[in-house]
Amino acid sequence: MQITQDKVVQIEYTLTNAEGEVIDASEGHPLAYLHGHGNLIPGLEKQLEGKSVRDKFKAEVPAVEAYGEINPALIQQVPREMFQGVETIEAGMRFEGQDENGNVQAVIIRDADEEFVTVDANHELAGHDLTFDIEIISIRDADEEELDHGHAH
Ligand code: ZN
C-alpha cells in the first residue's frame, strides 16, 4: 500500500533546522495523520505522497512550504501596560493572548522597555527551512468517521 489521498499514515520523524539542531522528534511514538487533508505542512505532505511502509527518507522543506516566511505585520509594538500584573518582560519570553476574535494566539517577546513591548505572533518556525528524517511505519485506509472529521483517530 502506498500513501495516497485518505490514507491514515504513521510516521517516525526527526525534525532539524538549517543549523542541524533537533527541534522535535517522535522518538518511538509515531505520529498518525490523515493524508491529503492539510494536517501536515504542505511541503512534507507532498514528499510523503506515494511512499510505502518501511521507506526511509530525508525531506527538505523550504520555509515557504513549511510554516511560511516571517510576516512583518505580525510583529508589533504594544504598550507595556497591556502586560499588567507581569513583573518581568524580557526578549524570548512566550505569552498566550487573544486577538479581536477571541482566538488564542501565542506570541514571543522580541524586545521590551518601560514603555513598549515588541511582540511577534509569527509561528516560531516561520522563516526556517526544515529537514525531516522520516520512516513510514504503517499505512491504512481511513474509516468514515476519520474522513468526516478530517483527521486520524
Ligand atoms: Zn475526530
Side-chain angles (χ1 to χ4, degrees):
M1 191 179 274
Q2 287 182 316
I3 299 178
T4 54
Q5 181 71 31
D6 298 342
K7 300 296 184 203
V8 172
V9 184
Q10 282 190 304
I11 58 173
E12 287 276 4
Y13 68 93
T14 301
L15 168 59
T16 49
N17 62 17
E19 288 74 46
E21 294 158 348
V22 174
I23 298 170
D24 192 15
S26 53
E27 291 178 323
H29 302 283
L31 169 76
Y33 81 97
L34 178 61
H35 191 80
H37 290 258
N39 292 330
L40 299 183
I41 56 172
L44 180 57
E45 199 159 29
K46 203 164 74 182
Q47 295 186 51
L48 283 159
E49 178 83 25
K51 295 286 193 286
S52 307
V53 173
R54 285 190 295 279
D55 278 358
K56 281 185 180 186
F57 66 102
K58 199 180 275 285
E60 313 253 4
V61 182
V64 66
E65 293 190 347
Y67 294 94
E69 301 292 355
I70 290 169
N71 179 358
L74 295 178
I75 303 173
Q76 289 180 320
Q77 271 202 334
V78 299
R80 174 68 174 82
E81 63 242 30
M82 283 185 69
F83 290 85
Q84 263 173 17
V86 184
E87 269 182 42
T88 316
I89 298 184
E90 290 172 341
M93 290 175 74
R94 290 164 198 281
F95 287 91
E96 279 190 353
Q98 279 187 351
D99 65 17
E100 312 86 80
N101 306 317
N103 299 314
V104 174
Q105 193 167 47
V107 299
I108 186 162
I109 306 302
R110 293 298 175 199
D111 195 24
D113 62 25
E114 278 141 47
E115 271 184 289
F116 290 103
V117 179
T118 306
V119 297
D120 183 350
N122 283 286
H123 190 281
E124 62 181 317
L125 292 176
H128 288 266
D129 298 331
L130 303 176
T131 301
F132 292 86
D133 282 290
I134 302 282
E135 180 178 1
I136 313 299
I137 304 300
S138 71
I139 304 170
R140 64 168 170 83
D141 291 318
D143 65 32
E144 252 171 63
E145 197 183 32
E146 288 171 318
L147 291 174
D148 216 45
H149 292 191
H151 56 230
H153 286 158

